[in-house]
Amino acid sequence: MVHVVYGDGKGTLVLSQALEAVPGVPEADDQYGFSLAVYDADLDGCSDLVVGDPYEDIGAVPDSGVVHVIYGSVSGLNAGGTAAKEFYQGSGARLGGGPETDDWVGYAVAAGKTSSGTPFLLIGVPGESIADVEDAGGFHYLSGTAMTTAFVHQDTDVAGAVAGTAERDDRFGSSLAATPTHFGVGTPGEALGTVPFAGGVGFFSHALTSGSPKPLGGIGQDQDAVSGDEQVGDQFGAAVAMVPYRASGATSTAESLLVVGTPGQDLKTTVDAGSVQVFKLAVNGTFTETAAIDQNLDGVDGEAEAGDFFGKQLAAVNSSPNATSTATTTRLAIGVPGEESSEEHPEKGGVLIVPLVGAPGASDRWIDPGYGIGSLPAPRMLAGLSLAASPSLLYVGSPYGPAEARAVYGFPWNVASGGAPTQVIKPGEGGIPETGVAFGATVR
C-alpha cells in the first residue's frame, strides 16, 4: 500500500491494487510500493507516481514483478481521467522479454527529465537471466512521453560497451539513481577477478544510440583511481545516489556527483562496518573520486563497528542545481541500520548527514531513534533503511520498532545533531488510516 500525503494540508490518498483504477489485485507478499519514483511522465505539468511491485506474480510466474505509472492531475493523483499504465515482461506487455520466476521487475526505479527536457524512467530487473546466466540482471530505459523502451544488460551490444560482463548473481539493476545528464546502475553481486560479491557501478548518459542510452564507464574497487580494496561481500553499489554538480566558474550544470554505498566493507578487522565514496562524473564519462567516508574518518560522528552496514541506504540533494555547488547546497544522508549506541538497543540504527562538497566532517550531523528520530529507541529499529530527499527536507522512515514510533520524519538538511523534525507523518494522524504495518518502509 502507498500513502500519498499532499502538500499544504490538502489531504491524503491511499493507493493499492484493491482500487478498481489500479491494475491487478492484492496478493500475499506482493509488497506493492517496494520502490517509488516521481516525475512528469506526460509533460502536463503535474507529477506522476511510479510504483514498483517486484514480487507481483505474472500469470503463474511467481515474483516476476510489475511497475505502475499513476498519473497526476490538477485534481490529484489517479483523478484526471488518464488510466494508470502497467509495465511487466510478457506477451502483449509494454516491456520486452518474457516473465521469469524472481525477475523482480521494479525492484528499483528512478525517473526524471534529461537536460533537454525529455522524461525518462528506469526500471531495474536484478533477477533477470541473460541467456543461461541466472540473476545477471538488467534494466529497462523508457524515454519520452511515448515511453519507448530499451533493455540494457552487461552483455548488451551498444556503442561504448556496458561495464562488466553478465555473470551469475551480479544483480545488475539492483540500485538506480539519475540526474538530467547521467544515471548510475548498481551491480552489488559483481565479482572482481576471484572476489565474489565485491560489487560495481556502471554509469551512462541519457544520449540515445539506436534507442539505448550510451554507456560511459564503470567503477569498482579494483581500479587504481578508486580507494579501498575489493573484498568478498563488499557489495559496492548496493546503494547509489546522484545530484547535479556545477563547479565554480562553470556556465552550466553538466556534471554529476555519484555516491556509492559499500555496506559490506570491512575496515581492517571491523567486519561489515561499511563505507561510502563520492565520484564526480564529467560529461565525457571520466570520473574522479572526491571523497571516501566511513565512521573512522577524522571529524565524522560515530565509530565504525562490526555490522554497522554504513552506506546501506543513501539520499542526496542539491538544493540549488543552477548555482555553484557548495557544502551547504549539496548534502548527503547515509543510512547506518546496524548502528547501536548501547547494548540495550542493538541495531537501533541511525543516519549520518554530511556535505557532498568539502570535508565530510566539517558540517556533519547525526540522528537516531530517541535522538531526533522520535523519542523511543528500541532494539532492531534499523533506522536508516528508508531515506528520501527533497530540496528542503530529508525524510527518514521508521517502519520498525514500537508501534508509536512508526512514522516518517522530515528534517531540515541543516538540522543539528539530535535535532527535532519539522514534519511528522504517522498512521492515525492527518487523515492517514490508523493501521500502518511497516509504515514508511519506502519513502519518496
Side-chain angles (χ1 to χ4, degrees):
M1 179 179 288
V2 178
H3 298 269
V4 179
V5 180
Y6 293 112
D8 299 326
K10 293 183 179 178
T12 63
L13 172 70
V14 174
L15 294 171
S16 77
Q17 289 181 293
L19 298 178
E20 184 176 346
V22 176
V25 295
E27 299 167 315
D29 301 320
D30 273 355
Q31 297 193 42
Y32 189 78
F34 184 90
S35 62
L36 300 170
V38 176
Y39 79 130
D40 188 359
D42 52 3
L43 298 181
D44 67 348
C46 297
S47 294
D48 307 309
L49 178 66
V50 182
V51 182
D53 182 2
Y55 303 110
E56 175 84 8
D57 298 347
I58 301 300
V61 182
D63 298 342
S64 178
V66 71
V67 168
H68 293 157
V69 177
I70 299 173
Y71 288 89
S73 70
V74 293
S75 301
L77 276 169
N78 209 32
T82 302
K85 289 184 179 177
E86 186 174 46
F87 296 89
Y88 61 92
Q89 298 181 141
S91 176
R94 300 175 189 270
L95 302 180
E100 298 170 321
T101 299
D102 297 332
D103 271 353
W104 296 355
V105 171
Y107 186 88
V109 292
K113 288 182 184 177
T114 68
S115 54
S116 63
T118 302
F120 66 86
L121 170 60
L122 291 159
I123 299 174
V125 193
E128 180 77 18
S129 296
I130 305 302
D132 59 351
V133 182
E134 295 184 8
D135 297 332
F139 66 88
H140 294 276
Y141 187 93
L142 282 63
S143 178
T145 56
M147 296 185 173
T148 57
T149 65
F151 182 67
V152 179
H153 52 81
Q154 289 180 293
D155 287 348
T156 298
D157 185 13
V158 292
V162 179
T165 58
E167 299 168 317
R168 183 184 177 97
D169 296 327
D170 274 353
R171 299 288 186 183
F172 185 67
S174 291
S175 57
L176 300 166
T179 69
T181 52
H182 299 94
F183 65 91
V185 182
T187 316
E190 182 80 33
L192 299 180
T194 60
V195 182
F197 297 99
V201 174
F203 56 97
F204 297 74
S205 162
H206 292 288
L208 301 180
T209 302
S210 300
S212 289
K214 180 181 179 180
L216 295 177
I219 303 174
Q221 288 183 300
D222 60 339
Q223 295 168 293
D224 292 340
V226 180
S227 63
D229 297 319
E230 67 274 24
Q231 301 167 343
V232 176
D234 273 354
Q235 296 187 65
F236 181 90
V240 291
M242 293 186 83
V243 297
Y245 174 77
R246 180 183 286 198
S248 177
T251 57
S252 64
T253 308
E255 297 182 309
S256 301
L257 294 178
L258 168 65
V259 189
V260 180
T262 312
Q265 182 87 46
D266 298 347
L267 300 180
K268 295 183 179 179
T269 60
T270 308
V271 178
D272 294 337
S275 66
V276 168
Q277 286 156 276
V278 183
F279 302 90
K280 183 178 70 174
L281 304 182
V283 176
N284 64 3
T286 61
F287 71 87
T288 305
E289 183 177 318
T290 62
I293 310 167
D294 60 59
Q295 286 185 291
N296 287 341
L297 188 66
D298 287 346
V300 169
D301 202 311
E303 179 181 351
E305 300 166 316
D308 275 353
F309 297 108
F310 182 90
K312 180 69 173 177
Q313 187 60 273
L314 303 167
V317 68
N318 183 344
S319 58
S320 300
N322 295 320
T324 299
S325 300
T326 68
T328 301
T329 60
T330 54
R331 304 287 285 176
L332 168 67
I334 302 170
V336 195
E339 181 80 19
E340 51 192 64
S341 55
S342 68
E343 292 184 2
E344 182 184 3
H345 302 133
E347 298 173 355
K348 176 177 68 171
V351 179
L352 180 70
I353 306 167
V354 298
L356 270 173
V357 175
S363 58
D364 65 321
R365 305 287 189 266
W366 176 264
I367 51 177
D368 64 25
Y371 190 62
I373 304 175
S375 59
L376 293 172
R380 288 170 286 282
M381 292 181 73
L382 306 177
L385 278 182
S386 175
L387 302 173
S390 79
S392 58
L393 294 179
L394 162 66
Y395 289 96
V396 180
S398 181
Y400 311 117
E404 55 268 38
R406 295 175 194 165
V408 174
Y409 301 90
F411 296 91
W413 282 96
N414 64 349
V415 64
S417 291
T422 57
Q423 185 177 18
V424 179
I425 305 167
K426 63 189 312 180
E429 298 181 5
I432 297 173
E434 189 168 352
T435 56
V437 176
F439 181 86
T442 304
V443 185
R444 175 63 175 87

